[in-house]
Amino acid sequence: LSFRDLRTSPSVLIGYSCTRWSSLTNTFRFAFDLNPAAPGVTDYGKPTKWVLRPKSPDRHADEDYALVCRLFHPDTGTPLILLAGITQYGTEAAADLVSSPARLREAMRGLPADWPKRSVQLVLHTRVISGETAAPQVVASYVW
């Protein structure tokens, strides 16, 4: 995917890359802190309570956090959607939310009425049960 691709049509980016598109996302309110000891989500760079506990020896988590972002970026001129979790479970939960009209409607219920014309960030939390994600819950949102 090239920057030209992002400029010529709406795009959906799935998964997290801390370097590839950081220039597009470095002004986001919510962002990932990938500190190996305590990965989590920050709020304007400040720590939050949205931090993963240490993983089990088999590297499976019992919860995850994710970001769902819909951005109208001035440098691309087209909508850009990002779905990413701290681990694969959060990414799966984010995809689950945006691909379910009922869940997406519920997630957007508390947003301002004009949110469809603005950029949006959602912070999601999901529990992981027997290796499967539970229904994601919105724990924070930001519209600008």
Side-chain angles (χ1 to χ4, degrees):
L1 182 69
S2 71
F3 185 70
R4 178 182 298 257
D5 295 328
L6 297 179
R7 288 187 11 239
T8 58
S9 67
S11 301
V12 178
L13 303 179
I14 301 172
Y16 181 72
S17 171
C18 61
T19 57
R20 178 77 171 150
W21 303 113
S22 62
S23 62
L24 294 177
T25 61
N26 63 5
T27 60
F28 282 3
R29 175 176 178 173
F30 301 114
F32 291 121
D33 176 356
L34 298 179
N35 174 346
V41 176
T42 63
D43 185 351
Y44 286 125
K46 297 176 188 160
T48 66
K49 62 183 177 184
W50 309 313
V51 177
L52 295 184
R53 292 186 292 275
K55 292 182 185 172
S56 65
D58 64 0
R59 310 277 304 148
H60 285 64
D62 61 1
E63 68 177 333
D64 200 1
Y65 293 92
L67 297 175
V68 172
C69 309
R70 199 267 317 272
L71 175 67
F72 293 108
H73 200 283
D75 291 334
T76 65
T78 60
L80 176 63
I81 297 173
L82 298 111
L83 311 173
I86 296 171
T87 74
Q88 73 274 16
Y89 301 113
T91 302
E92 182 180 332
D96 179 48
L97 182 107
V98 302
S99 63
S100 167
R103 284 194 179 121
L104 187 58
R105 231 182 345 270
E106 178 66 25
M108 300 307 202
R109 185 184 321 191
L111 299 182
D114 65 344
W115 75 262
K117 298 176 184 174
R118 298 167 65 188
S119 295
V120 176
Q121 266 197 301
L122 302 176
V123 179
L124 307 180
H125 175 260
T126 189
R127 292 183 53 228
V128 180
I129 302 168
S130 296
E132 301 287 330
T133 58
Q137 303 296 313
V138 176
V139 296
S141 62
Y142 181 61
V143 179
W144 72 101

